[in-house]
Amino acid sequence: MIWNTPYVLLLNISSIASLFFIAAAARYRNALGAVPFIWLMVCALIWSAGSTLEVVSSDFKSKLFWYNVKQVGVYASPLAWLSLALQCSGKHRWLKGNVLIAVSILPGLAVVLMWTNPLHHLMY
């Protein structure tokens, strides 16, 4: 394991910062944009923690598992950004169920294809 590299240190700092921002935004969750910001920080936490564990893993199967976990945060973050932008710009009426479902189809499909890749080999 390579826990002492600067890359791993920066990823750990990113994970800790994401946790700090989640806790800070949770205190003001009634404020405009707080909930989408919390979701965005959860995506960043999954992304950075998954990257850290991917880097420090020693065998291929665990690296592949943590890569897949990391990609959940990667694919979910654009939806969180969109939700944050729509809510902060006053277009929160677009955040209805049908629009969120339509926008979530491609990232959701990508996550499903990634986790089931040994069956079809479409993702990598």
Side-chain angles (χ1 to χ4, degrees):
M1 289 194 188
I2 50 172
W3 283 96
N4 57 356
T5 63
Y7 183 65
V8 173
L9 176 67
L10 291 173
L11 287 171
N12 285 330
I13 290 171
S14 174
S15 297
I16 292 168
S18 296
L19 283 172
F20 172 76
F21 289 133
I22 289 168
R27 288 191 304 175
Y28 302 104
R29 64 184 162 271
N30 294 329
L32 180 68
V35 174
F37 181 75
I38 291 170
W39 282 110
L40 183 62
M41 289 298 104
V42 167
C43 292
L45 175 64
I46 293 170
W47 192 341
S48 59
S51 292
T52 302
L53 293 168
E54 178 189 3
V55 167
V56 299
S57 296
S58 57
D59 61 313
F60 179 72
K61 283 197 177 274
S62 59
K63 282 188 180 290
L64 187 61
F65 173 78
W66 289 115
Y67 175 80
N68 288 345
V69 169
K70 173 184 75 171
Q71 290 301 106
V72 171
V74 171
Y75 289 137
S77 61
L79 182 60
W81 270 114
L82 178 66
S83 299
L84 180 63
L86 288 175
Q87 192 167 21
C88 289
S89 66
K91 308 281 187 194
H92 51 85
R93 65 182 181 279
W94 288 17
L95 291 173
K96 302 291 187 229
N98 292 339
V99 174
L100 287 179
I101 290 172
V103 174
S104 302
I105 289 174
L106 285 178
L109 181 64
V111 168
V112 169
L113 286 174
M114 186 183 50
W115 280 98
T116 60
N117 188 62
L119 301 174
H120 48 70
H121 302 291
L122 293 174
M123 294 301 282
Y124 43 79

